[in-house]
Amino acid sequence: MFVLNLQSSVALVTQIVAGFRQMVDDGALRPGAKLPSIRQFAHAHGVSVYTVVDAYDRLVALGYFQSQANSGFFVRSRASQATLSLGASGQYSFDSMWYLRRIFENRALRCKPGCGWLPGDWLFTEGMRRSLRNLAAEDVDLGGYGEPKGYLPLRQVVRDLLASREVVVNAEQVLLTQGSSQGLDLAARQLVRPGDAVLVDEPGYANLLFSLRFLGARLIGAPRTPTGYDLDTLEARIIEHRPKVFFTQPRLQSPTGSTAVLSHLHRVLQLAEKYDFMVVENDIYADLDPESRPSLASLDQLKRVIYISSFSKTISPNIRVGYLAANPELLEDLARLKMISGLTSSEFTERLAYGALVDGRWRKHIKTLRDRLALGQRRLASLLLAIGFELFCEPKAGMFLWARHPAIQNAGELAYNAAEQDILLGPGHLFSVDLEPSPWLRFNVAWSDDEALLRFLVTLKAA
């Protein structure tokens, strides 16, 4: 076994990762070999359990280790690594979701400031109940499948919604999906092949990054700024890597909460035209934005842009209803891919969403939701600043604040400490292109008005 240098300027996590990688590459650790448990390694080397957790997580994400429930960690076979190779940047496997399953998506934790969903009582629960009652009273055919593109009346509502956002489409250019996740997955499988360079927001949407890695994409980070993008770096990386597609979230972005200004949107489209790549715009927080502002899709009118959104953040994530709009030829390709992978989406849940959207109380619900989020933004921003956090930006709308504290070097370690106190945090490395340890944390303002969180964060101020 290798020896750690506790006095070195090289981070202990980095030393552990490098040591195990060297042992596996040299054959000192054979495929299938069981690794020391996290606590065993920490005790033997005199380091923090949380440091070892971070190192093991990274080795799983790189494809060197795999975790087995109730059994521990094992060296992954090289054959299975090769099937998911990402080239020089490392290996990827589904086991890199281990952290998400254990911590990030652990809904059992009582306090959830790091989660990506809204509390149930913030959603359009009453509208859903009314829609369900109305649907139960109708003579609805519950047998068979729905239409391949989705329930036509709902597609017509989406058409009108997009028109209000200055995106001109007809209902045949709208494809209903099982949430925005299926829309992103369809776009990725249509446009991306193993080895392709793909631009993504850095930091970016965690689930999308995992999905693209699984498809074998080479992820190229497009650094976010409080007003959009680092345009010089963006163009330099486009010239160097020649990406096929840019997956981006210009408005109220997760995790940073930032919104790209109009000039940045224009520049992204100019670059897409000049260097010939597609843009997939994830606009799932559009309904949470109190301001009417242009999107990439409205400026481009779907020539190079695929537009994706969802009702998960406003009606309910449980019904899994999202939508996608694209130019007619590409939309037909995506509709065929949807049928190949899952036939149709659920007409029943699409009817539920339709009923909620045409409910007379819908507009009032949206205004109330925006107001609650704005209040949550103000309260949390004041709290974090008072404790000594630095804010990436202050969006004053939407769900997220992106922040870091000078006492935190690795937010992943902090997240494990918080989990022991029944608090779910969103550590920055989950949103990173390279899964590197990060001091940043994503806070969901809808879940952050909690005394347990306040007590936990105050300990950072004391530190």
Side-chain angles (χ1 to χ4, degrees), residues 39 49-50 103 109 414-423 456:
R39 293 191 181 279
V49 166
Y50 307 109
I103 297 295
L109 297 180
L414 186 73
Y416 276 98
N417 285 327
E420 291 184 347
Q421 300 185 39
D422 216 17
I423 300 170
F456 180 78

Side-chain angles (χ1 to χ4, degrees), residues 24-262:
V24 173
D25 290 341
D26 291 346
L29 281 175
R30 307 293 297 172
K34 186 172 183 178
L35 283 308
S37 75
I38 288 170
R39 293 191 181 279
Q40 287 172 341
F41 187 96
H43 178 73
H45 293 267
V47 297
S48 163
V49 166
Y50 307 109
T51 297
V52 184
V53 166
D54 276 341
Y56 276 33
D57 279 345
R58 290 191 61 197
L59 286 159
V60 168
L62 290 167
Y64 281 81
F65 290 1
Q66 61 182 353
S67 63
Q68 295 182 12
N70 304 316
S71 297
F73 291 85
F74 298 82
V75 176
R76 174 176 288 280
S77 68
R78 306 306 285 173
S80 61
Q81 285 187 42
T83 61
L84 296 175
S85 173
L86 294 183
S89 63
Q91 308 291 338
Y92 171 76
S93 81
F94 266 132
D95 283 337
S96 62
M97 297 294 286
W98 180 83
Y99 188 96
L100 289 177
R101 292 198 302 269
R102 293 288 186 90
I103 297 295
F104 189 61
E105 293 183 337
N106 187 346
R107 294 170 184 258
L109 297 180
R110 187 191 64 79
C111 180
K112 306 177 181 65
C115 76
W117 56 90
L118 291 172
D121 60 357
W122 288 49
L123 298 168
F124 199 31
T125 306
E126 285 305 311
M128 281 289 294
R129 290 196 178 110
R130 284 189 293 271
S131 179
L132 187 57
R133 287 194 295 268
N134 293 336
L135 190 56
E138 296 177 12
D139 184 18
V140 177
D141 180 11
L142 296 179
Y145 296 94
E147 296 182 42
K149 290 183 180 179
Y151 184 51
L152 178 59
L154 180 56
R155 286 191 282 130
Q156 292 169 336
V157 168
V158 171
R159 173 201 62 198
D160 296 341
L161 176 62
L162 291 178
S164 72
R165 298 175 188 167
E166 299 186 352
V167 182
V168 180
V169 297
N170 58 55
E172 291 304 308
Q173 285 178 260
V174 175
L175 181 69
L176 300 184
T177 60
Q178 296 181 50
S180 61
S181 295
Q182 187 187 33
L184 291 168
D185 180 64
L186 291 173
R189 288 194 288 129
Q190 176 68 28
L191 300 174
V192 178
R193 297 294 176 268
D196 285 348
V198 175
L199 275 174
V200 292
D201 290 342
E202 171 66 28
Y205 181 42
N207 285 1
L208 172 66
L209 300 183
F210 284 122
S211 176
L212 290 170
R213 290 189 192 100
F214 179 67
L215 289 174
R218 291 189 294 113
L219 301 186
I220 310 300
R224 293 292 298 217
T225 70
T227 57
Y229 309 93
D230 180 337
L231 294 174
D232 291 338
T233 301
L234 176 61
E235 183 168 14
R237 291 182 178 177
I238 290 170
I239 293 171
E240 179 181 359
H241 298 284
R242 296 291 172 162
K244 289 187 64 177
V245 59
F246 182 15
F247 286 84
T248 186
Q249 194 174 49
R251 186 196 322 242
L252 300 178
Q253 190 243 6
S254 174
T256 66
S258 62
T259 295
V261 297
L262 179 59

